[in-house]
Amino acid sequence: MASEDEKPTSSNSDTIHSAQGDARNQEKSDGIALPSHVAGSGSLDRLVDTARDYARAAASDNTLTAYAKDWAHFTRWCRMKGIEPLPPSPEMIGLYLADLASGSGPSPSQSASRPLSVSTIDRRLSGLAWNYAQRGFALDRKNRHITTVLAGIKRKHARPPVQKAAILAEDILAMVAALPFDLRGLRDRAILLIGYAGGLRRSEIVSLDVHKDDTPDSGGWIEIFDKGALLTLNAKTGWREVEVGRGSKDQTCPVHALEQWLHFAKIDFGPVFVGTSRDGKKALEARLNDKHVARLIKRTVLDAGIRSDLPEKDRLALFSGHSLRAGLASSAEVDERYVQKQLGHTSAEMTRRYQRRRDRFRVNLTRAAGL
């Protein structure tokens, strides 16, 4: 049955699947294998396959896709320059980074290139290092041809990070109020409220299962109690528990919204958040993609009239999946350490980056120093 959820275009989908396939094929062909002097056997071959499975689990599908795209871009650049990507050459990689930062030459995929941000260039370099390692080569990122060029790029082009706007308490109330009360609306209401109250990443929201070990791709599970819901998450920083208490009224309670969705969608096993049929009357089996959360936030921001003083394009650019986490960090009137624990941050400084409004001068060192 057709789903209402947007799907990537065929060309984009092919690119993503091809990139993921390239990454996995590379792991298989150039990664973990028996030493050349060891004769294969049934048990050893099975252990190799098991080790490869564990190696794949070391990085998420999104990371593997990004690294595969990084390698594809670099190898196309090398072909255009008439050089070989293997073995790694710090001199050529320094030139590649300079090209990315300056946008001086044509892109392998388009007639004109635009400079990339420092963070994207850093990510590209990490992708190259990972890909070289999979092919049995070590890329010395501390080589002067790389470090000096990268330092110059950061000095000349670095900018303060662009932060997405926080979705505050009054915003989330308006957003959920704009949703219908059909099955699809129940699901999206639960996504927004659980994501906001739990301070969850969009990948954490859609990776939830009803029970532990329901599916191989599970990123965690839920337990519902009288006073709230306990989410056990396998997140970027490791396993953590997130407590989502019940709200003051059913209309805006994240736990009630979750219960309503599970009840009417008749979900008692597998992924919590799945697609619905096009008519919105039936829950399907396939887990939602995390891009659904980003699209949902942008759509409901528009529907609720949030920041209506701005043009629609600017409003869409202002909010993203991170806006839910930033909203909790900015709105929760509790000790900072509780917010830090809820978001799964290892430092208070990281939590403060998510706080869009706070008393920045609550500790006055000037007066403390006697001035």
Side-chain angles (χ1 to χ4, degrees), residues 13 33 87 129 149 172 181 196 212 217 256:
S13 180
V149 170
I172 198 72
F181 283 90
Y196 179 82
K212 181 181 179 182
D217 61 340
H256 179 75

Side-chain angles (χ1 to χ4, degrees), residues 7-86:
K7 297 288 192 295
T9 62
S10 59
S11 60
N12 288 342
S13 180
D14 291 344
T15 299
I16 291 172
H17 291 310
S18 174
Q20 290 176 335
D22 289 345
R24 290 190 174 90
N25 289 338
Q26 186 57 51
E27 283 181 344
K28 189 170 183 179
S29 60
D30 298 306
I32 296 172
L34 289 173
S36 58
H37 62 277
V38 175
S41 67
S43 60
L44 285 177
D45 290 342
R46 286 192 294 272
L47 281 177
V48 169
D49 290 338
T50 301
R52 285 173 180 158
D53 289 339
Y54 282 125
R56 280 195 293 270
S60 69
D61 282 347
N62 287 342
T63 300
L64 290 175
T65 299
Y67 284 171
K69 288 182 177 179
D70 292 339
W71 183 252
H73 187 277
F74 175 65
T75 54
R76 287 196 301 270
W77 182 88
C78 288
R79 286 197 299 270
M80 292 178 66
K81 305 300 181 186
I83 59 175
E84 293 295 329
L86 297 173

Side-chain angles (χ1 to χ4, degrees), residues 73 99-100 102-108 110-116:
H73 187 277
D99 204 3
L100 295 179
S102 65
S104 57
S107 163
Q110 55 194 30
S111 58
S113 178
R114 63 177 181 175
L116 298 184

Side-chain angles (χ1 to χ4, degrees), residues 5 10 39 69-70 103 119 127 131 140 148 158 192 217 238 250 256 265 270 275 290 319-320 329 335:
D5 297 305
S10 59
K69 288 182 177 179
D70 292 339
S119 61
N131 275 284
D140 182 9
T148 54
L192 290 176
D217 61 340
D250 286 348
H256 179 75
D290 66 345
F319 296 93
S320 74
D335 191 296

Side-chain angles (χ1 to χ4, degrees), residues 155-197:
R155 182 178 179 86
K156 188 172 182 178
H157 297 295
R159 298 287 185 273
V162 177
Q163 293 185 321
K164 296 295 183 179
I167 291 174
L168 304 177
E170 58 269 25
D171 300 327
I172 198 72
L173 294 178
M175 291 164 66
V176 298
L179 291 169
F181 283 90
D182 58 5
L183 192 62
R184 193 179 304 155
L186 291 178
R187 178 201 63 192
D188 290 344
R189 186 173 284 103
I191 287 175
L192 290 176
L193 290 173
I194 285 290
Y196 179 82

Side-chain angles (χ1 to χ4, degrees), residues 36-353:
S36 58
H37 62 277
V38 175
S41 67
S43 60
L44 285 177
D45 290 342
R46 286 192 294 272
L47 281 177
V48 169
D49 290 338
T50 301
R52 285 173 180 158
D53 289 339
Y54 282 125
R56 280 195 293 270
S60 69
D61 282 347
N62 287 342
T63 300
L64 290 175
T65 299
Y67 284 171
K69 288 182 177 179
D70 292 339
W71 183 252
H73 187 277
F74 175 65
T75 54
R76 287 196 301 270
W77 182 88
C78 288
R79 286 197 299 270
M80 292 178 66
K81 305 300 181 186
I83 59 175
E84 293 295 329
L86 297 173
S89 165
E91 295 87 349
M92 293 310 301
I93 290 176
L95 296 180
Y96 174 65
L97 299 180
D99 204 3
L100 295 179
S102 65
S104 57
S107 163
S109 59
Q110 55 194 30
S111 58
S113 178
R114 63 177 181 175
L116 298 184
S117 67
V118 172
S119 61
T120 301
I121 292 172
D122 258 334
R123 210 288 316 283
R124 286 274 176 91
L125 183 57
S126 296
L128 293 185
W130 184 89
N131 275 284
Y132 274 123
Q134 304 313 303
R135 289 159 174 81
F137 295 95
L139 174 62
D140 182 9
R141 295 182 58 169
K142 296 183 178 180
N143 183 283
R144 63 184 179 87
H145 292 284
I146 296 176
T147 57
T148 54
V149 170
L150 193 57
I153 291 171
K154 292 180 177 180
R155 182 178 179 86
K156 188 172 182 178
H157 297 295
R159 298 287 185 273
V162 177
Q163 293 185 321
K164 296 295 183 179
I167 291 174
L168 304 177
E170 58 269 25
D171 300 327
I172 198 72
L173 294 178
M175 291 164 66
V176 298
L179 291 169
F181 283 90
D182 58 5
L183 192 62
R184 193 179 304 155
L186 291 178
R187 178 201 63 192
D188 290 344
R189 186 173 284 103
I191 287 175
L192 290 176
L193 290 173
I194 285 290
Y196 179 82
L200 305 181
R201 301 174 178 89
R202 64 187 194 184
S203 60
E204 293 171 343
I205 297 172
V206 300
S207 68
L208 285 169
D209 278 358
V210 178
H211 309 106
K212 181 181 179 182
D213 298 329
D214 274 0
T215 63
D217 61 340
S218 171
W221 66 93
I222 62 173
E223 297 173 86
I224 298 179
F225 303 96
D226 290 341
K227 293 185 178 181
L230 178 65
L231 314 181
T232 304
L233 302 171
N234 185 9
K236 290 174 65 175
T237 54
W239 286 99
R240 82 177 197 274
E241 291 183 341
V242 173
E243 299 172 0
V244 178
R246 292 188 182 271
S248 56
K249 50 187 178 181
D250 286 348
Q251 294 91 324
T252 57
C253 172
V255 182
H256 179 75
L258 179 61
E259 290 174 321
Q260 291 286 291
W261 158 246
L262 293 175
H263 173 73
F264 287 103
K266 300 178 181 179
I267 295 175
D268 56 10
F269 183 85
V272 171
F273 295 113
V274 297
T276 62
S277 58
R278 193 170 296 279
D279 60 9
K281 295 182 179 180
K282 181 180 179 181
L284 305 179
E285 295 182 358
R287 186 188 304 276
L288 282 178
N289 187 286
D290 66 345
K291 290 182 175 60
H292 173 83
V293 180
R295 291 194 298 263
L296 172 63
I297 289 170
K298 291 178 182 294
R299 187 180 76 242
T300 51
V301 160
L302 293 181
D303 293 344
I306 296 170
R307 293 304 306 271
S308 57
D309 55 307
L310 297 175
E312 180 175 312
K313 181 180 178 181
D314 294 342
R315 293 165 67 194
L316 290 173
L318 201 56
F319 296 93
S320 74
H322 262 55
S323 295
L324 293 177
R325 286 166 64 78
L328 177 73
S330 303
S331 300
E333 300 292 340
V334 296
D335 191 296
E336 191 176 74
R337 59 184 171 172
Y338 295 114
V339 179
Q340 178 183 339
K341 179 178 182 294
Q342 190 82 339
L343 297 183
H345 289 155
T346 56
S347 69
E349 181 59 35
M350 178 59 72
T351 301
R352 293 184 190 119
R353 295 182 189 178

